[in-house]
Every structure is written in C-alpha cells, then in structure tokens.
Amino acid sequence: MAKRYLSFWLIGVLFLGSAWTVAQDNETRLRVNVNLVQLNVAVTDHKGDYVTGLRPQDFTVTEDRIPEKIATFEAGNEPTRTVTDAATDTVTSGTETVEQSPQVPAAATPPVTVSRYSDANVFILFDTSNYMYRGFVFAQDAIAGFVRSLESASKVAFYSYSRDLSRASPLTADREQVLRGVRNTVAGDDAALYNCLLLTVKDAARITGRKVVVVFSNGPDNASLVPPEDVAELAQSTGTIIYMVSTQDAQLEPISTAVFERMSKATGGKAYFAKSWRDETKAFASIRDDLSHLYSLSYYPQQNANRGWRTITVKLVGKDLQRYHVRTRDGYRLQQVRASEEASAESGSGPIAK
C-alpha cells in the first residue's frame, strides 16, 4: 500500500500567523511554489540625484549568491519590457520535493505583465495618537496634498491608527473618498504603530503589482505587542516598500529614529524627519518623486534548496556605473500558507508575486 504523503504549499509571500502543528510520516514531501520576484530599485549618484536611462543589461541580480536572469524590466513610468521568461520545474532532493522556476526559452511561456507605477497601490497610514495634538491639521493638509498628487496611481487606501487600526478608506481609485477619510480623522489614544503597520502590510500583501506603504508618525510606539523586526521582514518578503515620514519630535527619541530608518531601508524605502509642516509637504513630494524614478526588475528564482530567508543582491555592471548607489530590499522569506490561500492566488484573487 502506497505511503500517504502530507503536502504543504510554500510561496514567497509571507503571512505572519499562528504556527501549524501537523502529523508527519517518516518521509515528507514538500512542494515550493516559487513565483515571480519583483524588485523596485532606485539608483542615485553621490548627490542623491536619480540616475535614469539604465538598461536591463546594466543590472545583475543574485539570490543567495545564485545569479538570476531578469524576466521583466521597467524604467520609471515607461512600459514594462519582457526580457526573458521561465517555466516551472520540479527538483527532488533527498526525501523532499521542491518545485522551482528555472529559465527556459521565451517561446515556452507568454509574456509576463508587471504593474507599473501607474498601477501602484499606495497605502497611507496616519498617526492619530495623542502625539499628534499639536500638528494634526498640518499633517492632514500634507497628506491630502499627497493624495491629490497621486493622479497616476491606480488605487490609494487611507488608514489611521492610535491604539487600534482604522481602515478609513479601503483601497480605491476614488480620490474624493480617500480625502474624506483624511478629513474625518481625529486625534486619540496611545500609539500602537507596529501592530497597525503589520496589519497594513498584510492588507498590501494580498495585492499584486507594486505595493507601497507611506507612514506618518509623530512619535514612538508605546502600545504595540509586535516588534518592528517582524513588520520589516513581512514587508521585505511581500515586496512592500515602506516610507516613513516623521517629525523632529520623533527624531529626538533615538530608538524610534533608528527603527524608522532601518525599517524603511530594509524594504527599499526612505525615512524623513520633518522640522515643520513645509518639510512634511516636501517629504511627501520626495516620495512621489522616488516612486516615479524606480526601476522595476523581476525574475523567477533559479533552483535553490533554501526554504528560509533568501538574500537578494542587486549590483550595477561596468566600471562607469560603480560610482552610483543602489537601493532596494535585501531579501525575502518563504513561509507556509494554507492550500486555500494558494488556490486563491491561482484564481487571481491572491498574491502571485513577491
């Protein structure tokens, strides 16, 4: 009688949830569904100015030091180009079966479409805790101006937080609905930033294409149970960029400053510390400018037995380009998900890209 096997599906999108306990036989069959990995890459010179005009062959991508082939490439708001395609293969190692996606000739699969900045999904998370009493109205004005400026983004969501998360305006293309959510917020309780940011990133993880979370925080977190490291890893693993906009008051708290800077850098974003409402407006304008200058690269991972954290390295090719600085996320983690989540992804209602 054939032995029964218990199958798990692993995908590159990380959902933090409760651990699962399962019965195991002596041998375990493990299937890994590796999807398209999408990277948003900023390239700047020593002055911080954006470097434009780069081509796919100007970049090299490695995952755990394994060279990867770029599948699609997009510069700024230009149309996405298919560079190469891949198919799915299955590799057996020991008693575990791992499905990977090695490169095959372009004729084997249809072109891959990756969302452009014009199809970006922007989640705004606004601090409405009691830290915000003094500059509340000015922050609302800065956020409202940012929402209006995102005319080319496909959808925008507006969330606010104090001790709990309020989804004031779910992801929508209706700017007026988002602006009403901004105007209806009121200042309130303690700040559980990391709890609420984790929930926001989980919402973003369900969306395909480019995912961005823009956080406005006026002070340290004093109510969360979730550590910021968990939030950063989830964002990295789902390909979600985090931008942090904070005030000079928050910068006076060194722990929060370090966390904001580390979290945004790990996800390929940036942290801003505004001294005035004018600086807040400039920070949001800088984020909009950053999004419009990102290169989007994607690849199907080569065979890799590592089912944990995978390190991504993006470099520029050629001596003349070595003087430029590359900013992007530095890896992702594969994690178990339920079969129902995988079925949702295959039907188009769930995530298909990291």
Side-chain angles (χ1 to χ4, degrees):
M1 182 176 180
K3 298 187 66 175
R4 297 175 60 192
Y5 292 95
L6 187 62
S7 297
F8 294 93
W9 291 92
L10 299 183
I11 64 174
V13 179
L14 173 66
F15 291 100
L16 295 182
S18 58
W20 304 339
T21 302
V22 297
Q24 294 182 339
D25 292 322
N26 292 332
E27 293 181 272
T28 301
R29 185 182 180 188
L30 185 66
R31 301 187 70 185
V32 182
N33 182 21
V34 180
N35 296 306
L36 189 73
V37 177
Q38 184 175 346
L39 301 175
N40 300 298
V41 182
V43 181
T44 54
D45 61 18
H46 69 283
K47 295 181 180 179
D49 295 329
Y50 295 101
V51 178
T52 60
L54 298 179
R55 305 161 298 170
Q57 55 267 39
D58 294 323
F59 295 86
T60 62
V61 180
T62 61
E63 183 178 291
D64 287 346
R65 299 185 179 181
I66 301 171
E68 304 291 349
K69 294 181 180 179
I70 296 175
T72 63
F73 179 84
E74 174 197 332
N77 291 333
E78 296 178 1
T80 300
R81 287 189 282 161
T82 300
V83 181
T84 183
D85 296 309
T88 301
D89 196 8
T90 301
V91 179
T92 302
S93 176
T95 60
E96 298 180 339
T97 300
V98 179
E99 283 191 3
Q100 293 286 353
S101 301
Q103 303 299 323
V104 298
T109 57
V112 179
T113 300
V114 178
S115 297
R116 295 183 289 164
Y117 166 61
S118 58
D119 298 322
N121 299 283
V122 181
F123 291 76
I124 300 171
L125 182 60
F126 180 35
D127 181 355
T128 57
S129 70
N130 48 25
Y131 289 118
M132 283 299 302
Y133 284 133
R134 287 189 298 173
F136 195 84
V137 175
F138 296 120
Q140 282 180 313
D141 288 342
I143 292 172
F146 177 63
V147 170
R148 294 189 188 96
S149 73
L150 291 174
E151 294 179 358
S152 60
S154 64
K155 294 181 180 179
V156 180
F158 177 76
Y159 295 178
S160 62
Y161 76 92
S162 52
R163 183 175 292 276
D164 299 308
L165 178 68
S166 172
R167 295 176 173 87
S169 175
L171 202 62
T172 177
D174 186 349
R175 294 293 184 273
E176 290 303 318
Q177 177 180 330
V178 178
L179 291 172
R180 284 195 297 271
V182 175
R183 294 304 181 192
N184 290 336
T185 52
V186 293
D189 208 342
D190 292 339
L193 168 59
Y194 306 131
N195 283 358
C196 298
L197 181 53
L198 181 70
L199 294 174
T200 303
V201 174
K202 283 186 175 183
D203 286 356
R206 299 186 178 98
I207 307 301
T208 60
R210 184 174 293 176
K211 302 173 283 286
V212 179
V213 177
V214 179
V215 182
F216 185 96
S217 174
N218 194 45
D221 187 312
N222 63 359
S224 284
L225 300 177
V226 175
E229 292 79 11
D230 287 0
V231 180
E233 185 173 294
L234 176 60
Q236 288 174 293
S237 298
T238 58
T240 304
I241 311 171
I242 296 179
Y243 293 94
M244 304 290 301
V245 180
S246 194
T247 63
Q248 189 178 25
D249 292 340
Q251 195 173 23
L252 298 176
E253 211 282 313
I255 295 179
S256 294
T257 300
V259 169
F260 291 176
E261 291 178 339
R262 186 168 60 248
M263 182 183 299
S264 57
K265 181 180 179 181
T267 62
K270 299 173 70 175
Y272 302 84
F273 296 94
K275 297 180 180 179
S276 66
W277 65 270
R278 292 183 181 87
D279 289 341
E280 293 170 8
T281 301
K282 290 179 181 178
F284 285 113
S286 176
I287 293 171
R288 185 188 65 247
D289 194 35
D290 196 61
L291 290 173
S292 66
H293 285 91
L294 293 177
Y295 293 94
S296 288
L297 318 177
S298 69
Y299 66 92
Y300 289 96
Q302 298 289 338
Q303 297 176 10
N304 186 349
N306 178 13
R307 296 180 298 276
W309 179 261
R310 296 183 174 187
T311 300
I312 297 173
T313 303
V314 179
K315 294 183 179 180
L316 296 174
V317 178
K319 184 177 180 180
D320 293 341
L321 300 180
Q322 297 307 306
R323 65 182 184 274
Y324 298 135
H325 173 69
V326 174
R327 170 167 50 86
T328 188
R329 59 174 167 141
D330 56 11
Y332 66 94
R333 182 181 299 279
L334 296 175
Q335 194 174 27
Q336 297 173 348
V337 298
R338 293 177 176 84
S340 60
E341 291 177 348
E342 179 185 332
S344 175
E346 291 179 349
S347 68
S349 59
I352 61 172
K354 302 183 193 72

